[in-house]
Structure formats: structure tokens, C-alpha cells
Amino acid sequence: MTSTFKYQVKAARCYRQGDYNEAIEQCKKMIEVEGDNAYSHYLIATCQELKEDYEEAILSAETALKCDKKHFDSLVILSRIYLNRNEHEKAREYVLRGLEAYPEPIPGPPKFFFTILKLLSIIPKFSRVYKQAEEEISNPNKSNEKWFQWAKEYLAWYERSKGGEPSPTVH
């Protein structure tokens, strides 16, 4: 068990419970132990965005980008915040950078995995696991694909209207 694992678990638990301040504190402890890294700063930015502390979220996402200039999730946060603030030049900048950093598709689990789970789903305990697995991991790229589609729509809107009509909403 790595020295930061306990902080990662605590941060995840706090995040799920909506205790974003404590999740941020746990991420800061991870940074103290590991040093600066894009993922910890991204998690902090996510919590700050959920708290509607947008200025701090921007700073944290930008810090993540100093650690990894192509950190896709931080670019997504920044594009979303600037869009919601109607700062379309900045939003466009981060959308373009996000498209450049768009991750390679993550392969889904092998088909036999779902076949086995489906067979096991006759057991009530596994039925719930099968349904959850089918929803959550059958397409591990779902949220990225939604963002990618939105990004293309946003750029087309930007070129077409230069802010003269309402922008497409972020998914």
C-alpha cells in the first residue's frame, strides 16, 4: 500500500459524500507526499468547481496543466468554466487544446466478460452487478465522447456566430 493510498480513499469517500472541503484537504496531503501532479490538482479543481468556487478551480486546473500540459480532464474543466462565464475566447482556447489532447479510446472489457456476468445474473447478487457493469463499463469512453461531440458543436457555433447566438451547452 502506497503512502498516499489512504488519502486517495479518504478523498474519494469525501467526494462521494459531497464533503468537497475535506476531499480537497486529502488531495493536498497527497501532494505533500507525492509532490505536484496533474491528477491531484485536477481533483481539487473538480471539487472547487462543484463548490462553485470558480476562481480557485481555474487556478487548480491551471496548476494541473503545469504538471501535464495535455491533462485532458483539466482542459475540460477550464473549457466548461469559461463557457459558463461567457468568456468564449478562453473557452475556445481550452476546447482546442482539449481536442489536441483528446485521449485514445479506452478499450471496453472483453465480450466474454459480459457473457459470464449475464450467466451469473440468475443469482440475485450477480444480477445487480451485471446491470451496473453493463451501464458503467460497457462504454468507458462515454463521457469523453459526449464532450468531444459538444466540442465540435461549440467550435462550429463559435465560427458561425462569434457569440451572436446562444452557445451549445456543455454535457
Side-chain angles (χ1 to χ4, degrees):
M1 183 157 78
T2 67
S3 57
T4 61
F5 182 72
K6 65 182 176 185
Y7 301 129
Q8 293 170 357
V9 171
K10 287 179 184 177
R13 186 179 322 119
C14 293
Y15 176 84
R16 279 193 310 276
Q17 295 171 346
D19 187 355
Y20 303 124
N21 289 328
E22 186 57 29
I24 289 168
E25 289 307 309
Q26 296 303 315
C27 290
K28 288 179 178 178
K29 289 177 182 178
M30 285 189 286
I31 292 168
E32 286 175 14
V33 173
E34 296 179 330
D36 272 344
N37 65 81
Y39 188 70
S40 294
H41 287 290
Y42 154 73
L43 291 175
I44 292 170
T46 300
C47 291
Q48 290 164 328
E49 182 185 24
L50 290 168
K51 289 176 28 176
E52 298 180 3
D53 188 352
Y54 301 115
E55 292 303 320
E56 289 298 315
I58 288 169
L59 292 173
S60 294
E62 288 176 346
T63 302
L65 291 173
K66 287 178 184 170
C67 297
D68 175 1
K69 67 181 180 181
K70 291 190 173 203
H71 191 262
F72 177 74
D73 294 318
S74 296
L75 293 165
V76 169
I77 285 177
L78 289 166
S79 67
R80 184 171 51 235
I81 290 172
Y82 284 116
L83 170 75
N84 290 334
R85 292 166 65 158
N86 288 320
E87 294 181 38
H88 293 292
E89 285 293 323
K90 293 291 280 183
R92 180 179 176 273
E93 171 190 338
Y94 288 107
V95 167
L96 289 171
R97 288 179 61 188
L99 289 172
E100 286 177 18
Y102 190 73
E104 291 294 320
I106 302 167
K111 290 184 185 208
F112 73 84
F113 174 78
F114 288 108
T115 303
I116 292 169
L117 276 181
K118 189 168 186 168
L119 290 172
L120 290 172
S121 71
I122 60 170
I123 303 168
K125 188 178 189 180
F126 285 104
S127 176
R128 189 176 71 237
V129 170
Y130 171 70
K131 288 176 186 170
Q132 188 174 7
E134 191 174 49
E135 289 173 15
E136 293 180 10
I137 65 174
S138 62
N139 183 0
N141 303 296
K142 191 174 189 177
S143 67
N144 288 354
E145 289 171 357
K146 283 182 178 180
W147 182 88
F148 183 74
Q149 185 61 40
W150 168 81
K152 292 190 309 186
E153 291 172 15
Y154 179 77
L155 291 175
W157 164 84
Y158 184 87
E159 292 304 317
R160 183 177 63 249
S161 73
K162 300 283 194 231
E165 60 187 67
S167 66
T169 57
V170 176
H171 299 283

